[in-house]
Amino acid sequence: MAVAPSHHRTWQKKLAREARLRFVGGLCVGLPGVATRLRAELLQIMARPSTDPARSHVALSAAVAEFDSRQQAWLDATNKLLRQSLLAGEAIPEPVTTTTITSFELVSNEAIEGRIIASRLAAQLLELVALELDSVRRVTQFLEDQELGPADAIRPETWCLKLIEGWEGAGLSRKTLDLLWAPLLEALAQLGISGYTAVRRFYDEQGAATEDELRSYRIKRTESERHAPAAAAMAAAAGAAHQMGGMPAAGAASGAASMPSGLMPAGGAGAPGWVAMGATRQKSQGVLAQLRGFLH
């Protein structure tokens, strides 16, 4: 018996929502591991001799103490913001009528700086996860019949912004972020690739779309997508200006350049990280249940 088109469309949208839920759940499960890695990196930096005042033993001891006291607040704040992105970031049709500005948002310089930092992080991360992200994006926009919304939870721009907002909301300093930029980028790339791969596997298991359907599909562009090139250019210019004004690019560049082949933990499939995947999977089920309760 053939499925009615309206029922099929409802099923497709439900599938896309479930995919977002699983992706954000994977991020929430993986972030404590990112925090553990960042702390270990701070200790490694402290063990290396340096003439840089920012990397003196006193400065690094203060950074470790700061991270120890605030990392849980960072994780809690980021988890909350990621969950909220599930409510605010789904793709929604945009009206054809001309947008009218009804209110003005006053944004502090600190908030603007934070958004620029998040844009830089997302731009560098995108280069590392582009293949896996594109695979998920193609299926998701096929299911919803439009491009991902600008604040979609799947987009690296969205979850990088939430991560930086959580970082600053927890009181962690930008000096510490500078020190940890390269390992943070690498850890997030691993987390993102794992998350996108899991979502694509979920889509395949559910029979979300065939390759023939994806090849023949032509997406409907939303207003935000039509203006995306200009927005991307502005973000790139802002990131370049910020980079020239302070935050060093060398750390981020080295992070991308030193990305290990295949992003696999040392030791291959027998490494402790892979052995712990069973426990992580169980934990992810609990996080998914909490996210579903949050959405309801």
Side-chain angles (χ1 to χ4, degrees):
M1 182 176 179
V3 179
S6 60
H7 291 171
H8 185 65
R9 175 57 65 189
T10 300
W11 172 79
Q12 287 180 316
K13 291 184 176 181
K14 182 179 179 181
L15 205 60
R17 285 195 295 270
E18 177 67 18
R20 288 187 179 90
L21 190 71
R22 287 169 176 259
F23 180 72
V24 170
L27 293 180
C28 292
V29 168
L31 279 175
V34 173
T36 299
R37 179 170 180 177
L38 295 183
R39 188 183 188 282
E41 181 66 23
L42 280 174
L43 296 178
Q44 289 181 19
I45 295 173
M46 186 184 296
R48 303 180 197 129
S50 176
T51 57
D52 184 354
R55 293 173 179 254
S56 67
H57 186 80
V58 173
L60 290 171
S61 296
V64 171
E66 174 195 88
F67 193 79
D68 284 346
S69 64
R70 300 179 187 273
Q71 67 165 308
Q72 190 58 51
W74 170 49
L75 294 174
D76 292 342
T78 303
N79 283 340
K80 181 179 179 180
L81 291 168
L82 287 171
R83 295 179 186 201
Q84 290 174 348
S85 73
L86 286 170
L87 298 175
E90 290 188 6
I92 55 174
E94 297 189 30
V96 179
T97 56
T98 304
T99 302
T100 303
I101 298 177
T102 57
S103 63
F104 293 93
E105 180 185 6
L106 297 178
V107 183
S108 67
N109 289 336
E110 285 292 309
I112 293 173
E113 285 283 317
R115 292 179 184 181
I116 292 173
I117 293 170
S119 295
R120 277 189 57 222
L121 182 62
Q124 294 174 11
L125 182 64
L126 186 59
E127 296 180 6
L128 303 173
V129 303
L131 184 64
E132 292 78 10
L133 169 61
D134 187 61
S135 178
V136 170
R137 176 164 41 198
R138 289 174 64 211
V139 180
T140 305
Q141 61 193 27
F142 169 79
L143 293 174
E144 297 182 322
D145 197 25
Q146 67 177 47
E147 178 59 277
L148 302 181
D152 197 292
I154 292 176
R155 288 185 178 272
E157 303 96 305
T158 299
W159 50 280
C160 282
L161 178 60
K162 304 308 178 186
L163 185 144
I164 296 300
E165 286 179 347
W167 181 279
E168 299 193 335
L172 285 163
S173 69
R174 289 178 181 167
K175 289 182 179 179
T176 303
L177 183 61
D178 287 350
L179 287 170
L180 296 172
W181 187 270
L184 175 63
L185 180 64
E186 184 174 335
L188 292 181
Q190 292 178 350
L191 187 58
I193 287 174
S194 176
Y196 292 131
T197 301
V199 169
R200 185 55 202 261
R201 188 182 303 117
F202 167 72
Y203 278 152
D204 290 342
E205 291 170 353
Q206 298 297 317
T210 65
E211 282 302 318
D212 287 342
E213 287 174 325
L214 294 176
R215 276 194 295 267
S216 61
Y217 175 68
R218 292 294 178 269
I219 191 169
K220 294 188 299 185
R221 298 292 177 179
T222 63
E223 283 298 314
S224 61
E225 182 66 13
R226 281 193 285 270
H227 295 301
M234 291 176 65
H242 178 74
Q243 180 174 307
M244 293 174 63
M247 290 187 68
S254 65
S258 62
M259 181 62 61
S261 176
L263 293 169
M264 179 180 289
W274 291 93
V275 175
M277 284 182 67
T280 301
R281 190 169 300 152
Q282 290 181 348
K283 185 177 180 182
S284 68
Q285 295 301 318
V287 173
L288 281 174
Q290 292 176 6
L291 286 172
R292 287 193 178 93
F294 171 79
L295 290 175
H296 290 321

